């Protein structure tokens, strides 16, 4: 990967023969040769990546300071923008602030494309908080000259610097990995579905032995069952399950022949209070009350429908070379309805 060491303070034309007068030209028509398609080229150069990342840091910090979805739309798009908008809503209601990002020394890889949209990714260490974090972000440009905006922003706390992960490296200008790549343990387009299936079914899932079960996967599997138990015990009936998100998946080839894959899953829970029992509250250890920003009260009494999104970055090895490993993730509740 490109080591772009720097610091951010805040961080076919047709050929028409002339017709001769008085006779018919029986010669076959002359056509210009069809030019070959352009060769793929990197999405950005090193200097272009520096400029794009500097501008991104400025814009996202400005949006975070004001908790403004409108300003966030200048820095983010797709999944990231949806998650940021939800976070701002919750933070405003709970009177919370976001520390400025202080990015430095990012690692950058620029996949090759023949046109737009195109994207590149950067692993950026943020030292703005108490613990260094690494945002491994995908920046997308929809059209020539358009802004570079983040479409995925999963993060990790370890390692916050150095290689992305043990045995995982990407060339400076890698190839994009096809969504249906059958040479991998799982195709990139199937990662989110496989993860959702394992979270729903555990060891009964056909993908169970294809994934490395991180602590957060085990916790979410357990929490899903606990949620169902709590709702049932309190007189609520309904459903809760994970599924693959419809947001785009991005995948790039690694030097090992595997792929880095950015995708997302969603947890949807829909319950109604059908019997005797307690009402439902929902509080997050760091974000506070999650219900009041959406339904204006802190307790749901008759119905509650929620959608939580989890962005994930996975390393997918070639077949026979190990299991899928999840390197980073980011969570937010993107929809809450109830009364």
């Amino acid at each position: 990967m490109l080591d772009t060491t720097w610091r951010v303070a805040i961080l076919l034309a047709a050929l028409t023969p002339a017709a001769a007068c008085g006779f018919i030209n029986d010669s076959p028509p002359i056509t210009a040769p069809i030019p070959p398609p352009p060769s793929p080229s990197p999405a950005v150069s090193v200097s272009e990546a520096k400029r794009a990342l500097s501008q991104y840091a400025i814009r996202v910090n400005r949006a975070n300071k004001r908790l403004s979805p409108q300003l966030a739309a200048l820095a983010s798009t797709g999944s990231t923008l949806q998650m940021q908008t939800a976070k701002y809503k919750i933070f405003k209601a709970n009177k919370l602030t976001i520390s400025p990002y202080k990015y430095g020394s990012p690692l950058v890889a620029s996949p090759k494309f023949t046109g737009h949209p195109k994207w590149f990714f950067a692993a950026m260490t943020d030292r703005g908080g108490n613990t260094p974090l690494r945002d491994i972000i995908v920046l997308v440009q929809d059209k020539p000259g358009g802004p570079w905006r983040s479409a995925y922003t999963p993060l990790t706390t370890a390692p916050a610097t150095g290689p992305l992960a043990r045995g995982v490296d990407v060339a400076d200008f890698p190839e994009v990995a096809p969504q249906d790549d059958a040479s991998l343990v799982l195709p990139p387009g199937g990662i989110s579905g496989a993860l959702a299936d394992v979270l729903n079914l555990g060891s009964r899932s056909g993908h169970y032995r294809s994934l490395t079960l991180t602590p957060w996967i085990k916790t979410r599997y357990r929490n899903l069952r606990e949620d169902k138990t709590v709702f049932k015990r309190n007189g609520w009936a309904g459903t809760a399950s994970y599924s693959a998100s419809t947001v785009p998946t991005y995948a790039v080839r690694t030097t090992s022949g595997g792929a880095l894959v950015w995708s997302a899953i969603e947890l949807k829970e829909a319950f109604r209070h059908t019997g005797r029992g307690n009402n439902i509250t929902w509080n997050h250890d760091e974000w506070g009350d999650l219900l009041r920003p959406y339904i204006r009260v802190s307790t749901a009494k008759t119905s509650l429908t929620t959608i939580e999104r989890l962005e994930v970055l996975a390393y997918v090895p070639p077949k026979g070379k190990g299991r899928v490993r999840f390197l980073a993730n980011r969570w937010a509740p993107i929809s809450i309805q109830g009364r």
Side-chain angles (χ1 to χ4, degrees):
M1 296 179 66
L2 300 174
D3 184 359
T4 58
T5 302
W6 57 292
R7 304 299 299 182
V8 176
I10 3 177
L11 195 206
L12 185 213
L15 177 63
T16 306
C21 296
F23 68 91
I24 298 177
N25 186 349
D26 292 329
S27 301
I30 300 174
T31 59
I34 300 174
S39 299
S41 60
V44 290
S45 64
V46 174
S47 60
E48 289 170 336
K50 287 183 179 181
R51 287 195 297 270
L53 292 171
S54 294
Q55 190 171 62
Y56 168 76
I58 293 170
R59 288 176 171 175
V60 75
N61 275 329
R62 185 181 296 134
N64 287 348
K65 182 178 181 179
R66 301 185 184 181
L67 300 179
S68 169
Q70 292 76 23
L71 292 177
L74 302 176
S76 304
T77 187
S79 177
T80 297
L81 181 57
Q82 286 183 292
M83 295 176 73
Q84 284 294 86
T85 298
K87 183 175 182 177
Y88 291 167
K89 187 180 187 77
I90 295 168
F91 274 43
K92 276 186 177 180
N94 292 324
K95 299 181 180 180
L96 301 173
T97 59
I98 301 175
S99 298
Y101 293 134
K102 295 182 180 179
Y103 288 127
S105 303
L107 299 176
V108 177
S110 181
K112 300 176 183 179
F113 298 90
T114 58
H116 286 77
K118 56 185 180 180
W119 57 274
F120 73 97
F121 80 90
M124 304 172 68
T125 299
D126 170 30
R127 302 186 183 278
N130 295 327
T131 302
L133 302 175
R134 175 178 259 182
D135 290 356
I136 309 179
I137 68 177
V138 171
L139 288 100
V140 179
Q141 186 184 56
D142 294 324
K143 59 183 179 180
W148 287 97
R149 298 182 294 175
S150 61
Y152 276 92
T153 54
L155 60 87
T156 183
T157 56
T161 58
L164 293 176
R166 177 179 51 83
V168 179
D169 194 12
V170 180
D172 294 346
F173 306 114
E175 303 292 337
V176 171
Q179 295 290 307
D180 59 352
D181 190 341
S183 71
L184 305 176
V185 171
L186 289 171
I191 295 300
S192 57
L195 176 57
D197 197 57
V198 169
L199 288 170
N200 290 331
L201 301 177
S203 60
R204 293 178 292 125
S205 169
H207 300 293
Y208 184 76
R209 298 188 180 281
S210 298
L211 310 182
T212 299
L213 303 182
T214 63
W216 66 261
I217 291 179
K218 295 177 181 178
T219 297
R220 287 192 165 273
Y221 172 80
R222 184 168 58 250
N223 288 349
L224 177 59
R225 277 131 198 87
E226 292 174 351
D227 282 359
K228 293 179 179 179
T229 299
V230 169
F231 275 104
K232 184 178 180 180
R233 185 170 61 229
N234 286 282
W236 293 67
T239 60
S241 65
Y242 284 92
S243 62
S245 175
T246 60
V247 298
T249 295
Y250 298 88
V252 66
R253 185 73 64 201
T254 64
T255 56
S256 66
L260 283 175
V261 180
W262 289 259
S263 62
I265 59 172
E266 292 172 359
L267 169 61
K268 181 176 182 180
E269 298 189 341
F271 289 91
R272 296 190 66 83
H273 207 170
T274 60
R276 294 181 179 180
N278 297 325
N279 301 325
I280 295 296
T281 61
W282 191 14
N283 291 279
H284 187 273
D285 290 344
E286 297 178 1
W287 293 14
D289 187 343
L290 300 183
L291 295 187
R292 184 167 53 86
Y294 283 90
I295 66 175
R296 300 184 179 181
V297 293
S298 298
T299 303
K301 298 179 179 180
T302 61
S303 65
L304 185 62
T305 299
T306 65
I307 301 176
E308 305 171 46
R309 179 175 296 156
L310 193 70
E311 291 183 351
V312 294
L313 170 61
Y315 168 64
V316 187
K319 285 183 176 179
K321 300 296 183 179
R323 301 184 180 189
V324 175
R325 286 188 277 155
F326 292 94
L327 310 181
N329 63 82
R330 187 185 292 271
W331 167 90
I334 60 172
S335 176
I336 299 175
Q337 297 176 324
R339 54 192 179 128

